[in-house]
Amino acid sequence: MRIPIDRDSEIPLYQQIETYIRQGILSGSIASGTRLPASRVLANDLGVNRITVENAYAELEADNLVHSKVGSGTYVMPSYPTPSLPKDVPGAPWPLWQQDLEASRGSRLSDELETQITSSRHPDLIRFDSGVGDSILFPVEEFRKILQAVLRRDGLLALEYGDPLGYAPLRSTIAHVLASQGLQTNPENILITAGSQQAITLAAQLLLKPGDAVIVESPTYARVLELLQTLQCRVVSIPVDDQGMQIDGLEILLQQHHPRLIYTIPNFQNPTGSCLSLNRRRHLLSLADRYNVPILEDDYVGDLRYEGHALPALKALDPGGRVIYVSTFSKMLMPGLRVGFLVADGPVQASLLHFKRMSDLATSNLAQRALESFVTVGRYQAHLHRACQLYRKRRDTMLRAIRGSLPAGVQVCPPQGGLFIWMRLPEGLENDQLLPLALAEGVSYAAGECFFNNRKGGAGFMRLNFAAQSPERIETGIRRLGKAMRRLRPFTAK
Amino acid sequence: MRIPIDRDSEIPLYQQIETYIRQGILSGSIASGTRLPASRVLANDLGVNRITVENAYAELEADNLVHSKVGSGTYVMPSYPTPSLPKDVPGAPWPLWQQDLEASRGSRLSDELETQITSSRHPDLIRFDSGVGDSILFPVEEFRKILQAVLRRDGLLALEYGDPLGYAPLRSTIAHVLASQGLQTNPENILITAGSQQAITLAAQLLLKPGDAVIVESPTYARVLELLQTLQCRVVSIPVDDQGMQIDGLEILLQQHHPRLIYTIPNFQNPTGSCLSLNRRRHLLSLADRYNVPILEDDYVGDLRYEGHALPALKALDPGGRVIYVSTFSKMLMPGLRVGFLVADGPVQASLLHFKRMSDLATSNLAQRALESFVTVGRYQAHLHRACQLYRKRRDTMLRAIRGSLPAGVQVCPPQGGLFIWMRLPEGLENDQLLPLALAEGVSYAAGECFFNNRKGGAGFMRLNFAAQSPERIETGIRRLGKAMRRLRPFTAK
């Protein structure tokens, strides 16, 4: 019996031995009926006194875990029965309530597509399907020093549950960053969340119940579509063009469906890349106000602008309490830190805070403090500038590669910012045939279906992330995509 | 006009000037109609070429933000109206949907009580109301080095979105820790969450809809009661005694209410400190199985045992898929890290994972990696040992202090582990009178009302956290509590 003992530990040796054996018995790795080594033998093996081993055995016997038979040895007693798991018993069913769950679980298309991609065996898959930027921009070294410094400066405070609204200095910094972008906020109206996904989920869970209608753009962010479907909401779609949501068609939908929420991505919309024009922003606010419908504004990547000028956020045009604004540092800076935020005013702010507290009692305090230390408005602007330079080049590289390597008949609308190019496939090409071929060639993309409530609407579209790959990889990947397309349609010119 | 410019920046000077003015205009801090400084004057002030300023003004004019009148100057144009916030306009209402929210929001008793406590002006408040242990046990220095090492070792990977189930090596470590406690699990059945609160919330949101009945102990953990109320569930209470939930009364409740979930805290129950006996554990599993009701087992502090021996977890007695097991590192180690986990097998595991992905797309990867590096079974055991030694002393100190300083007529049931002592007040004393007096004396506690579905049930009870204060503070705090009690009941002997 190999028992690891630590002579420098404060824990007495007999107790270390006892604990080791106890755990073995409780976990079943030392089976009942096993004869333990004679105390003299074990003591010799471990290099301890015999009395030490005997004390350990005595403690175990006092708890009926072992039994010493005089002249025979010390044996492990049978204890509570080890449950046999249904997996061990072929055909044993899960309880009914679990079977019902399985039946009612809708399919999760974006998960299935992701699985299809990640199970590709290609040794050098170039991935254009991801939803985030390139983490190479992130200054790991600098950030590591900051984490050190925060722990040194704040000690245990950094590891406590923090303010449920979020670390106050960080909320203040966010308010400054937003102000530099033209959005005036009060830090008390800012709620830090675990990424923008949590902010959106919080708002949805607070405001919606099964059967409620929600207005969304078509296409829109796949994860939010799935969230709404999971919450059993009625998704009411409104088409998007190169100026964003087609607001002309909104009023009739409001009248007919009485939605409880409008979800919109006004800047560099995911997946189309379009921006909602200023006129349409005003129009949207006016309609939402008249019909008493809250707006959830998802500004996850509004900073990443390569040309043109920023339009005011819907929140900046909000007379008060009409818009819940959501954003994140993930896409811009550091996904793994999982820090996002929402801005809301009015009673809804307290309700959102309450809901958040119920879910996880505050976002990681350490991450927030480190982020606050790292993000000054100046540093943020500088990082933004570097990101925009890098991503602009990559966008241009991808657009060139598309023109050069893909069949005529693809259509793209070059985005003014963000991470994605939204592409329409040539007539007759669809993802269910194309994606497997693309994966075989060694390139992945985000198939259009998961961005539409009615999936078929996306069969002829794809979303390509240009931000996460180097220019060389972009060119290679688009070439591979071209090959795959031509395998489907060899007679297509080029 | 004081415009901060950075000559070392990659951003051209004219653009810095333009951006600054643009933001001022967009945010309203430079009002429409303002006359900008003459380009010659501003150039002189800033120490730049006149043409630089003129370029900036030209860009702004191209966007209709300013207008140059020949011979007159450059003026800020009226742009979109600056929204006036309802706060600025006395009596301006929030939109109707917000007003409806406010009306339907139930009161959150534990928040109100917490506010009452935190607004105490006592200069030296001794707090017995908290729900966590003493973070002084946490080795900050060691952990800081580990964070450094993780960043150095894993670099950017540590900051990416991780595996949605949770960092695999950490799940493996958790499986080992659980095995050392007699609970065999497969790492693939472990889901890392942002603290145990998120695990409980996930399970509740997945399994429950408004109107569903849930069996809970009475009293039970306040935050879960509030969660269930927020989810509009019917809370069905079953009393607790010194052996935990009174299982004898369970079957009839199952028959009458057809609950969708049983929520139980079998070890060192929050707030009573009792443990569910082995017989009752088996009986509970048998009933839950027969009546097809999932059990949510909250083992948030089962490790902190000072005497007696551990009983097998319900999950260890689960033949398969009947129990969802939840635990956390927060109470034991480091609250701020916010890492907890659940163990579930069967289709419910995939459903829980999906729900978690929708909420926040994975718990902080950096925290998980650091935790994995930090937690070896040996180190965990050593930390546990230190914590138990410290907390046992403190428990004993508080029990002694209660006997010595509080009126006869209080009743406590000394807990065998955990963080809390549950105390019944003398006849006729109630929290709504006592708590303000206690706060005035400089001591806080957790008033019993928030642990009961029917609040009045808790008017004569309190929960005292003995773990988070030093022995001296415990003695002082209990003395203060005694003073407060005697102010209410001066004629009580002692």
Side-chain angles (χ1 to χ4, degrees), chain A residues 163-176 178 184-192 315 341-353, chain B residues 87 94:
Chain A
D163 180 345
L165 263 183
Y167 183 52
L170 179 61
R171 288 186 282 114
S172 192
T173 297
I174 290 171
H176 285 130
L178 292 176
Q184 293 291 342
T185 59
N186 186 320
E188 292 306 303
N189 291 118
I190 295 173
L191 179 71
I192 309 272
K315 189 77 192 133
F341 56 93
L342 62 80
V343 183
D345 47 325
V348 72
Q349 169 69 339
S351 298
L352 287 164
L353 176 62
Chain B
K87 299 187 214 43
W94 296 111

Side-chain angles (χ1 to χ4, degrees), chain A residues 289-311:
Chain A
D289 197 33
R290 193 171 346 132
Y291 288 88
N292 187 31
V293 188
I295 295 172
L296 183 57
E297 174 180 17
D298 185 354
D299 192 26
Y300 77 110
V301 83
D303 281 2
L304 288 180
R305 175 172 281 282
Y306 314 138
E307 56 224 18
H309 284 293
L311 292 163

